[in-house]
Amino acid sequence: MPRRSILLFAAACAVIAVALIAVTMVLASRPAPGLRAGEVVSTGQARIGGPFQLVDQDGRPVDETMLEGKWSLVFFGFTYCPDYCPTTLQVLDATKQRLGDRAEDLQIVFITIDPARDTPQVLNDYLSTDGFPEGVIGLTGTPEQVDAAARAYGAPYQKVGEGEGYTMNHGLTIYLMGPDGGFRSAVAHDLRPDRAADVIGRVMARG
């Protein structure tokens, strides 16, 4: 085959490959049938979660086995967060109320991504705030431990600024974990309590 024909054939193959990749990306970005974009994503086999070594707000060492035996809503934030974190806790409080008796099998786990400031005592004081759900489990640890936990969940975060006034950028996903400690669904942070309760209840019913 002439060299020119070989080059043209190779170029055509490259164009087709790029087109196939583009189509795959578009399809992957679409929400599941019957769901609004950004509402809830359930993959079933997603590699989310895994081993971690942290301490709770009472200073007790914990690991991933704390998720076993209960449904868990896990999310990452920090106590100095001005909006998302307190709002999410308030929404989850209202969500648990709407779940009724099913809420007895559901625990909320708040993992800080700001361990330099969020000591166990700071977490304990913060999670005792009126309007937050009762019994929220706050987790912290060394920077290395916190980073390992965040990477296990694919939870992005970044320190912004220097000095005492720094803040933290972080992901907004709430991870619904099953009683076996495995990932079940990612719940959007901006769902209304009634909708969040419906989504969580349906996932819990599937087991």
Side-chain angles (χ1 to χ4, degrees):
M1 183 181 292
R3 180 179 177 81
R4 177 180 175 81
S5 297
I6 293 174
L7 292 175
L8 289 173
F9 178 75
C13 289
V15 170
I16 292 172
V18 170
L20 288 174
I21 292 172
V23 170
T24 300
M25 292 178 68
V26 168
L27 292 175
S29 67
R30 292 177 179 174
L35 298 175
R36 298 198 310 270
E39 187 170 272
V40 60
V41 178
S42 180
T43 64
Q45 300 299 321
R47 294 182 179 179
I48 294 177
F52 59 78
Q53 298 285 335
L54 297 166
V55 296
D56 66 16
Q57 68 262 48
D58 295 317
R60 295 173 298 198
V62 299
D63 59 25
E64 67 280 0
T65 60
M66 66 167 292
L67 302 179
E68 297 176 0
K70 277 185 171 289
W71 289 86
S72 303
L73 290 169
V74 179
F75 75 101
F76 292 77
F78 64 117
T79 64
Y80 284 72
C81 180
D83 40 39
Y84 162 69
C85 299
T87 299
T88 298
L89 284 168
Q90 291 166 353
V91 168
L92 292 181
D93 184 45
T95 298
K96 288 193 69 174
Q97 294 177 29
R98 285 162 174 77
L99 282 168
D101 293 340
R102 292 174 295 179
E104 296 178 4
D105 297 323
L106 182 68
Q107 63 183 355
I108 299 171
V109 181
F110 176 84
I111 303 178
T112 182
I113 40 81
D114 186 16
R117 294 184 294 198
D118 288 345
T119 64
Q121 185 61 57
V122 169
L123 281 175
N124 195 23
D125 294 342
Y126 179 75
L127 295 174
S128 298
T129 301
D130 291 340
F132 288 177
E134 292 185 4
V136 177
I137 301 171
L139 301 182
T140 186
T142 67
E144 293 76 17
Q145 290 172 328
V146 167
D147 187 62
R151 283 188 286 107
Y153 281 80
Y157 70 95
Q158 181 182 31
K159 181 179 179 180
V160 179
E162 299 295 337
E164 295 182 358
Y166 74 86
T167 188
M168 304 292 294
N169 287 339
H170 59 92
L172 306 180
T173 300
I174 302 167
Y175 305 92
L176 178 60
M177 313 298 287
D180 60 353
F183 173 73
R184 292 293 191 276
S185 181
V187 181
H189 75 283
D190 54 355
L191 285 184
R192 299 186 314 273
D194 56 342
R195 180 57 183 151
D198 179 61
V199 169
I200 294 167
R202 285 190 286 111
V203 176
M204 292 175 72
R206 293 201 300 266

